[in-house]
Each structure stands twice: as C-alpha cells, then as structure tokens.
Amino acid sequence: MNATDLQCSRRDCRNGATWAIVWNNPKLHTPERRKVWTACDEHREYLANFLDMRGFLRETVPWDEYEG
C-alpha cells in the first residue's frame, strides 16, 4: 500500500498520510507487537506526542520506509 491510499488517523482529518507512527501499549500488548497510526505532515507531531506522553510511542518513520 502506498501513501496515496492512506488517510491520516487524526479524527476528522481526511488528508493523505505520509508517516507511520508505530506504537504499542505495554499493558495490553506483548513487547514485539506493533500497532500503526498513519499521519499527514500536519498531524504527525500531534499524534506522536499523544502516544509518547503515555509511553506508547516506539518510532515515527516516513510511510515509504516503514517495514511493518
């Protein structure tokens, strides 16, 4: 799937996504489990900060470099 097929995970955003925000919740997921939110340039920092404040953020990478 390429970035033109993806939509940003931010609520009410309909922009195309170009970032993969990789995370997991250690209370629910095994350490190797990864979940992904997609983000547009405008919401990448907001979504990453939201997850980071909770200790869930693992990495943020451009979608075309994501190997999930």
Side-chain angles (χ1 to χ4, degrees), residues 25-59:
N25 180 340
K27 292 182 180 179
L28 301 176
H29 306 124
T30 59
E32 63 278 350
R33 170 98 188 261
R34 294 294 183 259
K35 300 196 54 108
V36 178
W37 283 353
T38 55
C40 65
D41 289 338
E42 181 181 350
H43 294 117
R44 176 191 56 83
E45 186 175 348
Y46 172 85
L47 293 169
N49 287 341
F50 178 89
L51 293 168
D52 193 35
M53 287 177 17
R54 289 154 179 80
F56 297 172
L57 183 63
R58 299 298 168 248
E59 65 179 331

Side-chain angles (χ1 to χ4, degrees), residues 6 9 13 15 18 22 24 26 28 31 35 37 47 52-53 59 61 63-64 67:
L6 300 173
S9 295
C13 181
N15 293 335
T18 55
V22 184
N24 84 340
L28 301 176
K35 300 196 54 108
W37 283 353
L47 293 169
D52 193 35
M53 287 177 17
E59 65 179 331
V61 295
W63 181 258
D64 59 357
E67 299 180 9

